[in-house]
């Protein structure tokens, strides 16, 4: 017992230290936890701190339960509903492209139908934790495309519940089409029951777990999560579904914020055990055999993500930079991919799934932040026809919603077809810009005299709009960025 405690304590401490070092260079923590497990587990030559990964099975299961329970508690249902039809369509495009590509890739591996479904989920569902962390670290919270990114990952989280409900009967090994249909009906029936409880039984659940003391509230909430997760597993539905759905139920009670706050530290610790325990099961000797499939999977994910980013940008009228930001910010895979493969391994599916997903997640954990930070370079090579607009001069510019000068916009159209200042000087100009405060039309910054910028500086009118046919983008000279109102506050002109 003492040796087990020493090994577990040492592994967790080393995982924290490695993750702390990784965060200093902009890398996420989840793959660091996996890596520590791989390097210090029985499948890797060298020191072994935990000989038997099964010893951590209960703690790892609790980590999985709390991870999904907390996700359900913090699920912003109102934000998703308020995002409108375009947000759901953008999320559907993203999920559909990635899941379909993952399913095709999974079948091409020839490992089996159930394995293909696991691969599809692992390749199709991004890491909400890593994506959110990138938005914060890259200082993109006020970008115009950020609500779309958040909406996509939130809808992905909801989709996960349905995907797990579909996958669980397959993993259970139903021996006939009728049995499979029965298991699927049971899984979705379980979801319906919990949705109904969330809709109409939240007050009763709040009365069951509610307490003025944080200690008792935490014990009751976690007890309820573990109980429902266990019951869902007993009836043949994944414990992950039960944990996620009971979190949604708790999110509808008046104790939501307190539960979210007091469960978070325990979730972080036990989720770390889950990721480390997964790494402990990986034999490094198996990684070489899946290296080529993992590299191809990374390439497939990059292509489908960028494609989905372009489709979302077309829906919301973003430029190339916005499209690149959407596609590359949600590129990383993490906790959900590991959850799916953990369930697959427990169900006795192909043993290659574990090292394949581990290597795939590790590769994307390193490349995704780098690609997201360099989205400008992808925007530079995206053609204008992809986005149904001419963004030639501003394809790499960030579109921000934080500009405080939008209240000075009073003029949004003009019939002027020439720069009066250039005409008086007898010189040519490149493109025209409209001052949205007074209606002055001047030449752009690529023109010799930059009359639009000079007018803005002299008159202190900050926001201009392109006066070129087919363009309506706006730029703030003071903030030095493309600008638009936050999503939902005004109708897009595109």
């Amino acid at each position: 017992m003492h040796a087990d405690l020493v090994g577990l304590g040492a592994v967790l401490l080393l995982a924290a230290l490695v993750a702390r070092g990784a965060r200093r260079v902009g890398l996420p923590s989840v793959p660091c936890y996996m890596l520590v497990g791989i390097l210090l587990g029985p499948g890797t030559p060298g020191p072994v701190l935990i000989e038997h990964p099964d010893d951590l099975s209960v703690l790892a299961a609790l980590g999985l339960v709390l991870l999904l329970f907390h996700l359900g508690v913090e699920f912003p249902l109102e934000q998703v509903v308020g995002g409108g039809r375009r947000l759901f369509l953008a999320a559907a495009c993203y999920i559909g492209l990635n899941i379909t590509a993952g399913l095709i890739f999974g079948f091409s591996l020839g490992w089996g139908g159930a394995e293909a479904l696991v691969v599809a989920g692992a390749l199709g569902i991004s890491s909400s934790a890593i994506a959110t962390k990138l938005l914060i670290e890259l200082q993109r919270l006020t970008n115009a495309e950020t609500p779309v990114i958040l909406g996509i990952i939130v809808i992905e989280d909801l989709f996960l519940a349905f995907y797990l409900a579909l996958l669980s009967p397959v993993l259970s090994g139903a021996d006939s089409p009728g049995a499979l249909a029965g298991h699927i009906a049971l899984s979705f029936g379980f979801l319906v029951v919990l949705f109904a409880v969330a809709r109409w039984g939240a007050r009763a659940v709040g009365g069951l777990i509610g307490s003025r003391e944080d200690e008792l509230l935490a014990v009751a909430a976690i007890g309820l999560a573990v109980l429902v997760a266990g019951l869902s597993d007993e009836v043949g539905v994944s414990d992950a579904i039960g944990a996620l759905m009971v979190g949604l139920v708790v999110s509808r009670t008046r104790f939501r914020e307190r539960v979210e706050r007091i469960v978070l530290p325990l979730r972080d610790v036990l989720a770390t055990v889950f990721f480390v325990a997964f790494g402990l099961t990986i034999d490094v000797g198996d990684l070489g055999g899946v290296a080529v499939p993992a590299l191809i999977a990374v390439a497939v994910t990059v292509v489908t993500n960028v494609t989905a980013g372009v489709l979302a940008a077309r829906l919301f009228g973003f430029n190339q930079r916005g499209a690149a930001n959407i596609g590359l910010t949600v590129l990383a895979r993490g906790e959900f991919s590991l959850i799916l493969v953990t369930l697959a391994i427990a169900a006795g599916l192909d043993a290659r799934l574990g090292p394949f997903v581990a290597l795939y997640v590790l590769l994307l954990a390193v490349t995704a932040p780098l690609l997201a930070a360099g989205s400008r370079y992808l925007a530079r090579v995206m053609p204008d026809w992809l986005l149904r607009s001419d963004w030639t001069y501003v394809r790499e510019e960030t579109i921000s919603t934080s500009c405080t000068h939008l209240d000075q916009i009073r003029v949004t159209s003009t019939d002027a077809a020439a720069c009066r200042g250039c005409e008086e000087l007898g010189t040519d100009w490149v493109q025209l810009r409209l001052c949205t405060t007074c209606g002055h039309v001047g030449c752009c910054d690529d023109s010799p005299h930059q009359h639009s910028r000079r007018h803005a500086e002299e008159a202190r009118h900050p926001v201009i709009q392109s006066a070129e046919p087919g363009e309506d983008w706006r730029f703030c000279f003071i903030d030095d960025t493309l600008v638009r109102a936050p999503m939902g506050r005004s109708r897009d002109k595109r």
Side-chain angles (χ1 to χ4, degrees), residues 179-376:
L180 179 61
H183 283 303
I184 292 176
L186 179 62
S187 295
F188 280 94
F190 189 76
L191 286 181
V192 170
V193 169
L194 288 178
F195 269 122
V197 173
R199 176 64 179 85
W200 292 290
R203 178 174 297 181
V205 172
L208 178 65
I209 66 172
S211 174
R212 294 181 179 179
E213 299 181 39
D214 284 352
E215 174 189 349
L216 298 181
L217 179 61
V219 172
I222 293 173
L224 178 64
V226 174
L227 174 62
V228 174
L231 289 175
S232 66
D233 194 50
E234 285 292 324
V235 299
V237 181
S238 168
D239 53 358
I241 298 178
L244 177 63
M245 296 308 298
V246 77
L248 285 172
V249 174
V250 172
S251 73
R252 306 290 294 177
T253 71
R254 61 189 179 93
F255 300 103
R256 170 184 176 173
E257 293 183 359
R258 286 179 60 203
V259 171
E260 185 177 349
R261 172 177 55 83
I262 61 183
V263 171
L264 181 61
L266 186 58
R267 182 212 69 173
D268 288 341
V269 174
L270 291 179
T272 300
V273 175
F274 168 74
F275 295 127
V276 169
F278 177 81
L280 291 170
T281 64
I282 302 300
D283 189 332
V284 293
D286 297 331
L287 295 178
V290 296
V292 172
L295 288 170
I296 296 174
V298 168
V300 169
T301 303
V302 171
V303 171
T304 53
N305 268 44
V306 171
T307 303
V310 170
L311 292 175
R314 286 169 65 98
L315 283 169
F316 287 91
F318 298 142
N319 63 349
Q320 284 89 338
R321 184 67 179 276
N325 284 348
I326 293 173
L328 298 179
T329 302
V330 291
L331 179 61
R333 302 298 188 261
E335 60 271 23
F336 299 146
S337 300
L338 301 182
I339 288 169
L340 290 171
V341 77
T342 299
L343 297 175
I345 292 172
L349 298 189
D350 198 306
R352 290 172 291 185
L353 280 172
F356 165 76
V357 172
L359 185 57
Y360 169 73
V361 169
L362 286 171
L363 289 172
L364 278 180
V366 174
T367 57
L370 298 177
L371 291 174
S375 59
R376 176 185 295 272

Side-chain angles (χ1 to χ4, degrees), residues 107-120:
F107 278 117
S108 71
L109 293 174
W111 292 351
E115 286 80 358
L117 286 173
V118 174
V119 171

